[in-house]
Amino acid sequence: MDLKALLQLLILMSVVRVAHFSISSSKGRYMASVFSDLTSEEMTSVQTFLMDQKQLNLVPIRSHFGKNSIFMMELNLPKKQDVLNFLDYNGTKPKREAKVVIFFGDQVKPNITEYIVGPLPHLYYYRPLTTKENKPIRFESRPMTYMEYKKFQKRLLELIKELDHILVETSGFSFNNCSSRCLRFTSIAPWGLNSGERRSWSIVQKDVEGYFLHPIGVEILLNHRSLNPKEWTIEKIWYNGQYFDSVKELVRKYEKNELPKVQLSDDSQDPYSTFMPRGEFKTKTDRSGPNICEPQAKRYQVLGNYVEYTGWSFAYRVHPSAGLQIFDIQYNNERIAYEVSLQEAIAFYSGATPAGMQTQYIDSSWGMGTDHYELAKGIDCPEGATYQDLYSYYDTDKPLRYKNALCIFEQPTGVPLRRHFDSNHNGGYSFYAGVENQVLVVRTTSTVYNYDYIWDFLFYQNGVIEVKMSPSGYIHATFFTPDGLQFGNRVQSDVLGNLHTHLVNYKVDLDIAGTENNFETIDLKYENITNPWSPDHFIVQSRMDRVPRSSERQAAFRFGSHVPRYLAFQNPNKKNKWGHQKSYRIQYNSYAHSVLPEMWAEEKGVSWSRYSLAVTQQKDSEQSSSSIYIQGDPWDPTVYFENFISDNEDIVNKDLVAWVTVGFLHIPHTEDIPNTSTPGNSVGFFLRPFNFFDEDPSVASRDTVIVRPTDKGFTKVNIQRWTPEVIGQCVSDKPFRYNGTYVSD
């Protein structure tokens, strides 16, 4: 074959490969659409359809309170088996439906009803969603809406008019005619102490940048259970360590000097809570730091909600209450997990003030999956990342677009994926080899009031998935009194940083080479044996202690109990080349512990927090470990996770789901001023192949460099690489060089 013909053949082969990739990617996008979030147009059509149903008597939620209104809508995920039939067996694509939450306040017995509305795009039915328990949802357990907050603050201002002069004398700030020296309220949760209550403590703070760190020493308890705001009443007031039953009582004792008064310093001109730089920093400010660049275009592909990268493929969606979720995770067209998804995040506090001791935030109830605001290019994600807009319908009357709220990017980790320097132990070497460690990151953030959570899913070239949460934002602080030092540290003259525990719960629906999986733990135990080559001696060594877990109770590991170091999910019917059952294991990066004693009041609502790991049979009726109603009623929760494992079902050769809880204790300290930084606070877990492949799949990576000396004097080397040698000014203007010898000076 002549050179011209050879070139034509190579070009043709290249075109065929590109065409094949394009067809494969297009099919992947079509398959992934079964998981894609509702579009803005779909949300609008669902809203219009329901508003036209006269019997529902719906009104806009952003302009009415206590009426019948749509609160939230999202994609109704089809049953898993229906999706698998579509993905794997050319079955019918499941019909697309919306799940809609409606608050019915304008009736004799107010209630919350969830509906399934469909099919999209041509809607003609809506039906109530029934659950396994078919348990009614208390109206008092609903999340707080924009209109309730608005009326909440208006009513508080009406009820504390007599306090205004005390607030001014205390802080120099006011609620009335205040211009730049205003006060504000922060309400905390849960809203009461028992089911059916709706009464909230509010902290009074200076309304300055970083107001979370500026409590003035006043906290107020408002009962707002009634749907008539005129009936809302103040039940208690806390001022500088003392409780009062009414505004009048506090005013009377204050004016008679029967209590210690607070007079705060004025820090409004230079608040310690601002991000403005202060102090001396050694890095020169006339130079920018390093950036990630992609000189030869992106090595991943994003089509809708479908992503491909170095053998990986998956779909993503963002659940409006919980957040980022990844589906149908495959490596080289072999499914590893059906779903890995965020379920819930909580922060349970302690303190000496009522707000400190009452704060137990359950963040899905605050729309954690909709609090994903625009990502700053070059800070939140690399400037060249792929940015996606997200749409949500949550406490709104029209779909909201969150611009650039999700990013996808490839980055170097700065640590080799693998490497070896093969020394000859005489000043030279036989070879050096290394593999660059590039990783694909899918990221969103959630700013749930004061805290910012950075949610990451990372896909490594060796088949490893990392799931990670990195917290930032402002600490939740209360007014400092001496007894508060039992519950945190003093971080400013009148501010206590309250200790709290962060826990995050994930659902990990692993399908290791299929849906028939087992769960096994592996740890080590010592054995003491006679030395076979010296019978007068003994050998003590470690051997593997493999324990098959056959029931849900055997696979539930409580915090405080021993957790074996290897947590392996296996397919008993599929083996690798060497006869080992194909497996993946969960590896923790966490410092978590339980937040409350078991069955203690609010703990029932977060019963998943009893376990670092629980493994259950997959059930469509157990789709989530939490719900948006638990913040309002943790005492009688709509989802009680303990029921998932109380029936102690068989988990041998079953479709298994792991419920993974990670987290950390945060005792705020002065370095949390002005803001909590991410280093040392990230927690999460890894999904690591464990005999799933025949060898490390990253041997296929072309990010490999191999150096071999070509002469005994090491004056010349042969460098093999499969990526371009000189790749542009953004990395280096010189080719890769390597010597490798080591000699004395």
Side-chain angles (χ1 to χ4, degrees), residues 327-345:
F327 288 90
D328 193 23
I329 302 173
Q330 299 190 30
Y331 193 96
N332 290 340
N333 299 317
E334 192 167 18
R335 183 173 296 114
I336 292 166
Y338 178 78
E339 175 184 355
V340 182
S341 61
L342 180 60
Q343 296 291 298
E344 185 61 272

Side-chain angles (χ1 to χ4, degrees), residues 1 7 39 156 226 267 305 342 444 534 549 582 677 681:
M1 182 181 292
L7 288 173
T39 65
L156 267 178
S226 171
D267 50 30
N305 71 318
L342 180 60
T444 60
S534 181
R549 306 284 173 163
K582 294 172 77 75
S677 54
N681 285 326

Side-chain angles (χ1 to χ4, degrees), residues 55-72:
Q55 62 272 29
L56 295 178
N57 193 26
L58 297 176
V59 297
I61 197 169
R62 296 287 276 194
S63 55
H64 293 82
F65 173 70
K67 303 297 182 182
N68 300 348
S69 299
I70 298 172
F71 175 70
M72 185 183 84

Side-chain angles (χ1 to χ4, degrees), residues 262-482:
V262 176
Q263 190 165 3
L264 302 178
S265 59
D266 185 2
D267 50 30
S268 59
Q269 298 303 313
D270 186 23
Y272 48 81
S273 52
T274 180
F275 268 70
M276 288 293 293
R278 52 184 178 267
E280 184 181 0
F281 199 60
K282 300 299 184 182
T283 298
K284 290 186 176 181
T285 57
D286 59 348
R287 299 178 187 175
S288 297
N291 287 306
I292 294 172
C293 72
E294 297 163 307
Q296 295 180 307
K298 301 184 186 307
R299 305 198 303 176
Y300 60 91
Q301 185 163 239
V302 181
L303 296 170
N305 71 318
Y306 175 70
V307 182
E308 288 182 342
Y309 172 70
T310 64
W312 290 107
S313 67
F314 55 88
Y316 70 83
R317 72 179 288 242
V318 179
H319 189 278
S321 62
L324 187 56
Q325 304 184 331
I326 309 292
F327 288 90
D328 193 23
I329 302 173
Q330 299 190 30
Y331 193 96
N332 290 340
N333 299 317
E334 192 167 18
R335 183 173 296 114
I336 292 166
Y338 178 78
E339 175 184 355
V340 182
S341 61
L342 180 60
Q343 296 291 298
E344 185 61 272
I346 64 174
F348 277 35
Y349 287 78
S350 299
T353 78
M357 62 183 71
Q358 178 72 2
T359 301
Q360 294 166 342
Y361 286 137
I362 304 172
D363 288 336
S364 69
S365 298
W366 301 85
M368 181 170 66
T370 63
D371 295 331
H372 37 46
Y373 305 104
E374 182 175 2
L375 298 166
K377 295 183 179 181
I379 301 174
D380 292 322
C381 307
E383 187 174 356
T386 298
Y387 291 85
Q388 302 283 78
D389 296 349
L390 297 175
Y391 290 84
S392 68
Y393 195 108
Y394 184 95
D395 191 20
T396 182
D397 292 318
K398 58 183 179 181
L400 296 180
R401 177 169 74 110
Y402 295 85
K403 185 178 179 182
N404 296 337
L406 180 145
C407 69
I408 301 171
F409 58 93
E410 185 182 14
Q411 70 173 12
T413 66
V415 178
L417 182 64
R418 289 180 285 112
R419 59 97 65 194
H420 181 63
F421 179 85
D422 199 53
S423 171
N424 68 1
H425 307 290
N426 191 33
Y429 62 102
S430 57
F431 75 90
Y432 164 83
V435 183
E436 297 173 12
N437 194 2
Q438 318 285 358
V439 61
L440 187 76
V441 183
V442 182
R443 174 175 295 168
T444 60
T445 63
S446 298
T447 301
V448 190
Y449 191 58
N450 60 308
Y451 255 105
D452 295 66
Y453 298 104
I454 303 169
W455 308 107
D456 284 343
F457 286 79
L458 299 92
F459 297 85
Y460 292 81
Q461 296 183 40
N462 64 339
V464 171
I465 303 169
E466 183 181 1
V467 182
K468 184 169 67 172
M469 182 275 283
S470 304
S472 187
Y474 286 94
I475 59 173
H476 177 62
T478 56
F479 189 74
F480 174 77
T481 56

Side-chain angles (χ1 to χ4, degrees), residues 5 8 49 55 139 151 175 183 220 501 584 588 604:
Q8 288 176 337
F49 174 74
Q55 62 272 29
F139 195 65
K151 293 187 177 295
F175 282 109
L183 294 171
I220 304 168
T501 296
Y584 257 73
Y588 278 76
K604 189 175 181 182

Side-chain angles (χ1 to χ4, degrees), residues 410-571:
E410 185 182 14
Q411 70 173 12
T413 66
V415 178
L417 182 64
R418 289 180 285 112
R419 59 97 65 194
H420 181 63
F421 179 85
D422 199 53
S423 171
N424 68 1
H425 307 290
N426 191 33
Y429 62 102
S430 57
F431 75 90
Y432 164 83
V435 183
E436 297 173 12
N437 194 2
Q438 318 285 358
V439 61
L440 187 76
V441 183
V442 182
R443 174 175 295 168
T444 60
T445 63
S446 298
T447 301
V448 190
Y449 191 58
N450 60 308
Y451 255 105
D452 295 66
Y453 298 104
I454 303 169
W455 308 107
D456 284 343
F457 286 79
L458 299 92
F459 297 85
Y460 292 81
Q461 296 183 40
N462 64 339
V464 171
I465 303 169
E466 183 181 1
V467 182
K468 184 169 67 172
M469 182 275 283
S470 304
S472 187
Y474 286 94
I475 59 173
H476 177 62
T478 56
F479 189 74
F480 174 77
T481 56
D483 53 350
L485 289 174
Q486 304 172 76
F487 308 105
N489 287 310
R490 187 178 191 174
V491 293
Q492 287 291 317
S493 58
D494 297 298
V495 184
L496 180 80
N498 294 70
L499 69 85
H500 54 284
T501 296
H502 288 281
L503 293 183
V504 182
N505 186 245
Y506 290 92
K507 178 182 181 180
V508 183
D509 184 350
L510 289 164
D511 286 356
I512 306 301
T515 55
E516 293 184 350
N517 290 175
N518 291 337
F519 175 55
E520 176 185 64
T521 62
I522 308 173
D523 222 326
L524 299 181
K525 64 181 181 182
Y526 295 122
E527 67 172 6
N528 188 342
I529 61 173
T530 300
N531 189 323
W533 49 270
S534 181
D536 293 336
H537 297 87
F538 296 92
I539 291 178
V540 175
Q541 62 182 354
S542 296
R543 63 185 295 268
M544 288 192 293
D545 182 24
R546 310 179 81 116
V547 180
R549 306 284 173 163
S550 59
S551 67
E552 291 177 333
R553 280 294 180 197
Q554 289 181 4
F557 297 93
R558 292 179 179 272
F559 280 112
S561 65
H562 173 69
V563 179
R565 284 169 280 185
Y566 274 59
L567 307 164
F569 292 80
Q570 309 164 332
N571 189 315

Side-chain angles (χ1 to χ4, degrees), residues 703-723:
D703 291 332
T704 302
V705 176
I706 303 174
V707 182
R708 292 186 176 91
T710 58
D711 65 281
K712 294 182 179 180
F714 301 97
T715 59
K716 296 181 180 179
V717 296
N718 177 41
I719 299 174
Q720 289 180 279
R721 62 181 306 153
W722 289 261
T723 53

